[in-house]
Amino acid sequence: MATITERRPVVQRRSTAARASTVDNLRVGLRVLLPMFAEGAVIRRPLVTALADRLGWEQGIVEVMTDLRRRYGDGPLLIRLADRRAALVLARDDVGHVLAGSPEPFTAATREKLAALRQFQPYGVLLSTGDLRHHRRVFNARVLDLGQAMHRLAGSITRVVEEEVTQMLDAGPATLDWPRFAQTHGRIVRRIVLGDRARDDVALSRQLDCLRRRANWSYLLPVAERRRRAFQERLNEYLRAAQPGSLASVVAATTAKPGVDPYGQVPHWLFAFDAVGASTFRALAALAADRAARSLVEDECQPGVAERPWLAASILEAVRLWPTTLVILRDTTTDLRWRGVDLPAGTAVVIVSSFFHRDPTAIRSANQMDLHSWMDGTFEADPGIVPFSGGAVSCPGRDLVTFTGATMLGLILADHDVRLVHPRLDPTALPLSLDHFRIRFAVTPRSGGGVGR
């Protein structure tokens, strides 16, 4: 039997792993995990998201998690989920430890993810193990330029974003809502990933969304293999064409080890880009409501700006405040001993993102937009703040999607006054949930550059 301390010493605390009572098992299942499942782990269900926002489900999740930590200590808390044995993480240090221990002994290829993501990306890196996972990870990192603030295609990406944002703002009404923003964002993503020819291929995005809606049900629905193959073949047509200036062209120019399946990695890129679209829209809402934060990004909302670190921090902060991944899951790959308790291989490890991202006992600015803490490294060093997961399985597209979102924000704010119409946000007490489907702005042209105040 392996022990966690063999891989990385665990900070000793007075608390040890505890077993949840029957009542608390039910509370975790009904008030923490069921709302997340209902809202949609792979693609949000708009009606349920609106209900969650109205009824304060996220507040209830944080309240339950806070109460469990108060009564049980730092945990982990051992719970039962139907036929699954699970460890609910309650300590920030344990978040960092688990993610640093991925993919071994904490694999991201959990039973739930395997069942869900096979609907549209059965050969993706997240579902892979062993040497194949390593080779696929290396391929993804190379194509997506992981660790680079600006992707090698930064010039063409900026051109695409500029063209689409200009058309969105010039051609549309004075109100900017989610349907209009999402349509523009979808065009930007298809052009960046697949090239200009894919700009108006809404059918491709709808095929993916259909498969993602099935993925929301995890192992409760069988794989729609015919639909998946039809989507992948349509995608492959663009990848084979490899239009210059697109990620498809980088895929074509990047050597891959046998078995990597380069084309099979692309569905996840489209999926991840879609999630960051919601964060970009939320970041715009937070900036519109917060004069102090908006003043920090003003110099980056000018023509000709290449890097936009403050706007990139705005994207990261939106994901901290309103995580796109509601819960991070890992499965143990071997028998472990953790805080005096034996965890058999296959035990689920559950990390509730918003609980750690909004913990006022650890984060002074828990419910405010705090760009400074990204710029000075405070949030990067916090093991509990993981907007793009962490460790060796962190999102390899983090830098690319953050750059794209920051570019989009800068171009929207450059020549327009943006006023948040709905909802009303108090920048000193931002809500735990923010339904991006119902955000609306009044956008009016402004003479001269810079951000209006």
Side-chain angles (χ1 to χ4, degrees):
M1 175 181 293
T3 63
I4 289 181
T5 54
E6 291 173 355
R7 300 184 62 87
R8 177 183 173 189
V10 177
V11 176
Q12 294 300 315
R13 307 183 185 89
R14 287 178 297 171
S15 59
T16 59
R19 297 180 187 277
S21 68
T22 300
V23 170
D24 285 329
N25 262 297
L26 288 172
R27 292 176 73 207
V28 172
L30 296 177
R31 295 197 61 195
V32 177
L33 299 180
L34 182 60
M36 295 179 180
F37 175 80
E39 195 172 343
V42 181
I43 186 171
R44 294 292 184 271
R45 299 178 174 104
L47 292 179
V48 181
T49 298
L51 183 64
D53 195 49
R54 189 176 304 118
L55 298 182
W57 285 2
E58 194 66 43
Q59 181 66 44
I61 290 170
V62 172
E63 287 175 356
V64 169
M65 293 290 295
T66 301
D67 178 63
L68 292 175
R69 184 173 61 185
R70 178 183 61 80
R71 292 190 294 109
Y72 288 98
D74 283 343
L77 181 62
L78 304 182
I79 58 176
R80 295 290 304 189
L81 303 174
D83 64 335
R84 290 275 265 159
R85 181 171 180 170
L88 183 65
V89 175
L90 296 177
R92 304 183 80 77
D93 285 345
D94 286 347
V95 174
H97 178 77
V98 169
L99 297 183
S102 299
E104 296 286 345
F106 301 106
T107 181
T110 67
R111 186 193 305 181
E112 292 76 17
K113 287 182 190 172
L114 287 169
L117 299 184
R118 63 181 179 173
Q119 292 280 0
F120 63 94
Q121 52 164 21
Y123 310 113
V125 65
L126 268 182
L127 304 189
S128 307
T129 58
D131 288 343
L132 185 57
R133 192 211 74 83
H134 170 72
H135 296 319
R136 285 175 172 167
R137 170 75 182 189
V138 168
F139 177 82
N140 276 267
R142 286 177 177 168
V143 174
L144 302 176
D145 282 352
L146 176 61
Q148 301 299 317
M150 294 181 66
H151 193 273
R152 73 193 80 173
L153 300 178
S156 62
I157 291 171
T158 300
R159 173 184 59 82
V160 166
V161 175
E162 186 172 31
E163 291 174 359
E164 295 297 341
V165 167
T166 297
Q167 179 170 323
M168 176 183 74
L169 296 177
D170 290 352
T175 298
L176 176 60
D177 57 12
W178 174 251
R180 189 170 152 215
F181 179 88
Q183 181 183 57
T184 297
H185 187 262
R187 289 171 176 165
I188 289 171
V189 171
R190 289 190 295 271
R191 291 179 68 183
I192 289 174
V193 178
L194 304 174
D196 293 345
R197 297 188 191 96
R199 176 185 187 269
D200 297 316
D201 194 349
V202 178
L204 177 73
S205 298
R206 287 175 178 167
Q207 282 180 303
L208 177 58
D209 287 349
C210 178
L211 295 170
R212 289 171 61 197
R213 281 191 287 270
R214 293 184 64 86
N216 268 346
W217 295 96
S218 190
Y219 39 68
L220 297 180
L221 286 181
V223 175
E225 191 59 43
R226 185 180 300 176
R227 291 183 185 178
R228 189 198 68 78
R229 285 198 302 266
F231 162 72
Q232 188 67 54
E233 183 51 41
R234 191 184 192 109
L235 184 63
N236 291 352
E237 291 176 8
Y238 291 109
L239 295 170
R240 284 191 289 265
Q243 188 170 353
S246 68
L247 286 180
S249 68
V250 183
V251 169
T254 303
T255 303
K257 294 280 188 179
V260 164
D261 188 3
Y263 291 4
Q265 309 311 304
V266 179
H268 191 79
W269 305 348
L270 297 172
F271 164 45
F273 255 120
D274 181 70
V276 88
S279 295
T280 302
F281 208 49
R282 288 171 175 146
L284 185 62
L287 288 171
D290 190 332
R291 288 177 177 268
R294 199 160 70 246
S295 68
L296 295 174
V297 307
E298 180 171 355
D299 289 343
E300 297 178 5
C301 301
Q302 305 293 340
V305 174
E307 293 190 55
R308 296 178 165 91
W310 287 99
L311 285 168
S314 300
I315 301 294
L316 293 172
E317 186 64 342
V319 186
R320 178 189 73 84
L321 291 164
W322 303 288
T324 55
T325 300
L326 301 175
V327 61
I328 298 174
L329 298 177
R330 296 289 185 266
D331 278 357
T332 57
T333 58
T334 187
D335 294 343
L336 297 174
R337 188 165 183 79
W338 195 356
R339 302 192 190 282
V341 174
D342 295 335
L343 298 184
T347 299
V349 180
V350 182
I351 299 171
V352 180
S353 303
S354 58
F355 172 59
F356 296 101
H357 287 192
R358 292 294 197 101
D359 184 358
T361 67
I363 306 172
R364 183 177 59 183
S365 55
N367 299 313
Q368 300 175 30
M369 196 175 200
D370 182 358
L371 303 185
H372 287 284
S373 289
W374 287 108
M375 298 297 288
D376 66 15
T378 299
F379 282 164
E380 292 283 6
D382 188 327
I385 298 179
V386 285
F388 289 90
S389 190
V393 297
S394 62
C395 176
R398 165 182 168 152
D399 301 303
L400 172 60
V401 298
T402 303
F403 170 79
T404 304
T407 303
M408 200 169 183
L409 286 177
L411 293 171
I412 291 173
L413 293 169
D415 299 313
H416 290 77
D417 289 314
V418 178
R419 180 174 59 84
L420 182 62
V421 175
H422 181 83
R424 295 181 181 274
L425 294 180
D426 177 356
T428 66
L430 293 171
L432 282 166
S433 60
L434 181 58
D435 182 1
H436 62 283
F437 295 112
R438 286 167 172 75
I439 294 174
R440 291 196 314 278
F441 302 94
V443 182
T444 54
R446 182 179 63 251
S447 60
V451 179
R453 302 201 179 196

